[in-house]
């Protein structure tokens, strides 16, 4: 494509997502706070490592930072090209998306909240789900850019709707992770072989991403590879619970899960994967899931 594109934030997700862009765009700029990562990306994938001021002169600008606060601070410090479209793949806060969309509209820049799901493996294989909130025309004009990193690219509503869907998705993941930990600890306490139990459940109605993938590959294997940091999951469950409160709804399961994940995050070792949340329950039950 003749448009230029930039990717800001080459972390666990961004580094892999940006790697697909040179297959679709001639000019792909990358910027990262620790600039050596941008230089490494350029060497590895043929992107162009540039200063932030230059990256925001691209026609389409992707960002993928830990929090909405990080994105807003960054946007507040730069002059973005007029007519550009900013696609924020951070798992962020809906209210910030609405504020940024309003703020950038004045500069003739569209802002789409476009968080992703599918883990680092999905980023690597360009099979992410991209859930997009914001202006429909901006969505349509950048659909093919998002399709370079994802498989399902779905517009879900006005500004903030993408972030809202992502927060609830991750809350559901957290509920499931914690409940599978309780269920499998109970089975182990009753002397049941956990691999055999997994086989049955994965062919039955209780199966989920957690039972099919996260538990066997991360928990029962005791590997807990850190590809999605536990504090990021705690951030997401917090955003989801704020949505519940803003809607003045009761949500006892979600509130409890947010507290559990928050507690797990606070007590976990540094650089823990989200799956290591189950270690908090292991410390209560004194039963190790292996
Ligand atoms: P990482 O911690 O691996 O990467 C964060 C990136 O943001 C790094 O490039 C880091 O730069 C940069 N960064 C951090 N703070 C700032 C700042 N204040 N200003 C500028 N750059 C900054 O995070 P992930 O890639 O795992 O996650 C990014 C987002 O994607 C999060 O919102 C997360 O919730 C979401 N997400 C993560 C998934 C996963 O499986 N990991 C899956 C789906 C969504 P530096 O290298 O200099 O530290």
């Amino acid at each position: 494509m003749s448009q230029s594109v930039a990717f800001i934030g080459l972390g666990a997700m961004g580094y892999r997502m940006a790697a697909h862009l040179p297959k679709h765009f001639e000019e792909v700029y990358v910027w990262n706070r620790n600039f050596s990562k941008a230089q490494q990306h350029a060497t590895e994938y043929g992107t162009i490592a540039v200063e932030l001021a230059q990256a925001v002169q691209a026609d389409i600008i992707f960002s993928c930072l830990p929090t909405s606060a990080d994105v807003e601070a960054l946007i507040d410090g730069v002059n973005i090209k007029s007519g550009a479209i900013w696609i924020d793949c951070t798992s962020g806060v809906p209210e910030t998306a609405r504020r940024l969309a309003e703020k950038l509209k004045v500069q003739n820049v569209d802002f789409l909240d476009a968080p992703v799901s599918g883990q680092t493996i999905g980023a690597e294989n360009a099979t992410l789900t991209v859930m997009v909130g914001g202006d429909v025309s901006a969505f349509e004009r950048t659909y093919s850019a998002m399709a370079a990193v994802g498989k399902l690219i779905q517009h879900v509503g006005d500004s903030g709707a993408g972030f809202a869907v992502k927060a609830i998705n991750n809350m559901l993941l957290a509920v499931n992770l914690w409940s599978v930990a309780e269920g499998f600890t109970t089975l182990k306490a009753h002397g049941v072989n956990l691999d055999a139990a997994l086989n049955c459940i994965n062919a039955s109605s209780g199966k989920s991403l957690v039972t099919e993938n996260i538990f066997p590959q991360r928990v029962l294997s005791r590997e807990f590879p850190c590809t999605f940091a536990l504090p990021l999951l705690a951030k997401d469950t917090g955003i989801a619970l704020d949505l519940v409160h803003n809607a003045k709804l009761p949500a006892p399961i979600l509130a409890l899960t947010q507290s559990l994940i928050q507690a797990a995050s606070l007590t976990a070792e540094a650089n823990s994967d989200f799956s290591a949340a189950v270690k908090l329950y292991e410390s209560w039950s004194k039963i190790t899931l292996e």
Side-chain angles (χ1 to χ4, degrees):
M1 274 179 249
S2 59
Q3 285 171 310
S4 57
V5 63
F7 205 107
I8 291 171
L10 303 171
M13 293 300 284
Y15 197 90
R16 294 166 170 87
M17 290 164 73
H20 300 293
L21 297 174
K23 298 171 210 159
H24 306 273
F25 294 88
E26 279 168 30
E27 271 178 277
V28 181
Y29 301 112
V30 289
W31 179 82
N32 193 65
R33 184 178 58 177
N34 168 358
F35 197 64
S36 65
K37 270 199 220 171
Q39 290 167 319
Q40 192 188 325
H41 199 277
T43 307
E44 215 171 321
Y45 298 109
T47 50
I48 308 162
V50 294
E51 290 305 319
L52 181 58
Q54 192 180 342
V56 298
Q57 294 310 306
D59 299 311
I60 298 171
I61 303 152
F62 284 93
S63 54
C64 191
L65 304 184
T67 68
S68 273
D70 296 322
V71 176
E72 188 164 27
L74 190 133
I75 284 180
D76 282 346
V78 292
N79 288 313
I80 307 164
K81 177 182 178 169
S82 175
I85 302 179
W86 191 295
I87 302 172
D88 185 20
C89 300
T90 304
S91 300
V93 177
E95 209 179 292
T96 310
R98 287 190 282 275
R99 189 166 58 239
L100 283 174
E102 282 300 309
K103 229 195 272 189
L104 292 184
K105 204 193 281 178
V106 179
Q107 301 170 38
N108 191 32
V109 172
D110 281 301
F111 178 90
L112 298 172
D113 45 303
V116 298
S117 180
Q119 308 180 70
T120 50
I121 185 74
E124 210 160 301
N125 296 334
T127 54
L128 294 170
T129 297
V130 190
M131 35 205 115
V132 190
D135 182 73
V136 176
S137 150
F139 168 78
E140 284 167 354
R141 282 180 282 138
T142 50
Y143 183 92
S144 53
M146 293 185 274
V149 301
K151 192 169 158 196
L152 172 67
I153 320 298
Q154 173 81 55
H155 187 261
V156 292
D158 294 339
S159 279
F163 285 164
V165 174
K166 173 65 185 176
I168 295 298
N169 177 76
N170 278 23
M171 177 61 100
L172 298 179
L173 168 68
V175 169
N176 201 241
L177 178 67
W178 192 273
S179 57
V180 173
E182 291 185 6
F184 273 70
T185 302
T186 304
L187 288 174
K188 189 162 182 188
H190 285 276
V192 175
N193 177 296
L194 296 189
D195 291 327
L198 259 190
N199 273 345
C200 292
I201 287 173
N202 284 334
S204 303
S205 50
K207 74 174 173 186
S208 65
L209 177 82
V210 172
T211 60
E212 289 185 317
N213 176 305
I214 308 302
F215 247 64
Q217 292 180 18
R218 295 176 187 239
V219 178
L220 299 182
S221 67
R222 308 310 289 173
E223 284 183 13
F224 302 102
C226 188
T227 66
F228 175 40
L230 181 51
L232 291 178
L233 180 61
K235 174 250 316 176
D236 295 337
T237 55
I239 295 170
L241 198 59
D242 283 346
L243 285 168
V244 171
H245 290 152
N246 292 345
K248 298 188 171 47
L249 290 168
I253 304 290
L254 306 195
L256 180 57
T257 302
Q258 151 62 8
S259 288
L260 293 167
I261 297 296
Q262 187 65 31
S265 178
L266 289 172
T267 53
E269 291 164 14
N271 301 320
S272 283
D273 185 57
F274 76 102
S275 56
V278 305
K279 289 184 184 173
L280 178 60
Y281 189 66
E282 289 180 334
S283 74
W284 297 347
S285 64
K286 299 197 168 34
I287 292 175
T288 303
L289 290 162
E290 55 190 344

